[in-house]
Amino acid sequence: MIQLGINSVLFKEFDFETAARHIKAAGYDGVELSAIKGMCEHLELDRWEEQAPDIRRIAEENGLKLLSMEVAALDEGRLRPAFAAAAALGIPVVNVGPGGKSDVEEDLAATLDKLTRMAELAGEHGVTLCVKAHVGGSIYNTPTTLRAIEAIANPAFGIDMDPSHIYRANENPEEALPQVIGRVRHIHIRDCRGRQAGPGPIELQACGRGDIDLIGYCKVLADNGYDGPVCLEVIGAGGHSLAQVSIVAAESYGYLNAVLKSLGAR
C-alpha cells in the first residue's frame, strides 16, 4: 500500500522536532528529510552522524517513518555522506535533481554519466538514487526521462516522478506516468495553476487547488500497483507561519488520502 509522506522543506522555518509534530498531526505516515543546501537542511550532511540519534528519536516519538531524503544537487561530495546517512537511518531513497540546462545534449550526457556513477555508489550502500525531471534541467520531460531509464540499467537507480514539473513541461502527468512507471521508485507531489516556470505560492501547491489531474495521476499509480512513497513537496519563498504551512500539509494529506483510499491504494 502507498505510504504518504511530506518533505520537511515545507517547514524550513522551523526545527525538525517542530516539523515532525505537525507532520504527524496532519496525518502523514512518514517524512522525507530535507538536506537541500542553501534552502533547508534538517539533515546537515557534514555532521549527519551527530544528528542521526536525534532524528531517529524524533521520528520514533512521533510514529513517523523516514521514507526518503532530498539532497537535490547531483554532487558526489554531498551524495557520499547522504548515502552513508541514509543507510544508517534506514532511509531507502535519496532524491536529486538533474542539473544542467534543457535541450543541451552535452549537459544531458554529463548528467547521465554522473547518475550512472552515483547509482553505483548508492547500490554499495543499499540505497536507491532517484532523479526527477525538473523545469529547466537537462532531464525535464518524459523523453529525457526515458533517455535516463534507457542509459542506466542499475537497479539502484530509479525515477522520482513529480507531476508538477511534467505539467509545466507542457505534458499531462496522468498520460506521461504510464511511460515511466516501471522505473518509478518515488513520487514527489504537489499541485500548481498554469504551466509557468514556477509552481506558485504555497497555498496553490496544496493538492486539489491547481490544474493538474491528480486523481487521474493517482489512478495510474494504483492501477500499476505502485507501493513506494508519495511525498508532498511544497517549496515557497519563506516567511510563512507554522499555521500556514500546517494548513497546506493537512489539506494535501486529506485530499491524497481520500483519493488513494477510493482507489484501494491505502
Side-chain angles (χ1 to χ4, degrees):
M1 303 299 279
I2 288 174
Q3 294 183 316
L4 283 174
I6 180 169
N7 191 315
S8 66
V9 69
L10 177 59
F11 293 84
K12 65 183 180 181
E13 307 286 344
F14 310 96
D15 61 49
F16 182 62
E17 191 154 17
T18 300
R21 287 200 308 271
H22 288 80
I23 288 167
K24 185 60 179 179
Y28 288 90
D29 306 311
V31 61
E32 177 178 24
L33 277 176
S34 178
I36 307 173
K37 194 170 185 64
M39 181 179 290
C40 174
E41 292 183 272
H42 283 136
L43 179 65
E44 298 175 47
L45 294 176
D46 58 358
R47 64 183 195 98
W48 71 264
E49 290 175 287
E50 176 188 341
Q51 287 184 299
D54 273 344
I55 287 172
R56 189 179 292 109
R57 173 188 59 79
I58 291 166
E60 289 174 355
E61 287 178 353
N62 288 281
L64 292 170
K65 297 177 180 178
L66 297 173
L67 296 173
S68 51
M69 177 199 306
E70 183 171 20
V71 176
L74 184 50
D75 180 336
E76 182 173 352
R78 291 184 60 74
L79 285 174
R80 282 187 175 276
F83 295 147
L89 288 165
I91 298 173
V93 174
V94 173
N95 290 310
V96 295
K101 294 183 179 179
S102 299
D103 300 318
V104 177
E105 183 62 28
E106 294 82 1
D107 285 6
L108 179 57
T111 293
L112 296 181
D113 179 65
K114 288 180 185 177
L115 287 170
T116 298
R117 291 187 287 107
M118 291 304 97
E120 291 172 0
L121 186 59
E124 292 173 8
H125 286 84
V127 174
T128 299
L129 171 68
C130 286
V131 70
K132 73 176 179 183
H134 193 288
V135 170
S138 58
I139 298 172
Y140 70 98
N141 59 6
T142 300
T144 48
T145 301
L146 289 170
R147 288 276 300 274
I149 290 171
E150 291 162 4
I152 309 169
N154 191 328
F157 172 76
I159 299 301
D160 171 26
M161 215 292 197
D162 184 330
S164 77
H165 283 276
I166 294 298
Y167 185 77
R168 287 179 286 137
N170 294 313
E171 299 182 67
N172 294 322
E174 70 278 10
E175 297 170 1
L177 181 56
Q179 301 177 59
V180 300
I181 189 66
R183 291 292 295 279
V184 172
R185 300 293 180 266
H186 190 275
I187 297 290
H188 272 150
I189 199 162
R190 64 182 167 201
D191 216 331
C192 66
R193 290 187 186 173
R195 298 186 189 263
Q196 69 286 339
I202 65 167
E203 294 81 6
L204 297 185
Q205 295 178 52
C207 294
R209 290 210 192 187
D211 298 330
I212 302 175
D213 181 5
L214 292 179
I215 294 175
Y217 184 84
C218 288
K219 186 175 187 303
V220 176
L221 292 176
D223 288 349
N224 284 272
Y226 175 80
D227 63 357
V230 172
C231 292
L232 180 74
E233 186 197 38
V234 171
I235 294 178
H240 298 97
S241 69
L242 187 55
Q244 286 176 300
V245 296
S246 297
I247 287 167
V248 170
E251 182 177 341
S252 296
Y253 174 83
Y255 178 95
L256 291 170
N257 187 52
V259 169
L260 292 169
K261 275 191 170 182
S262 75
L263 295 169
R266 277 177 68 75

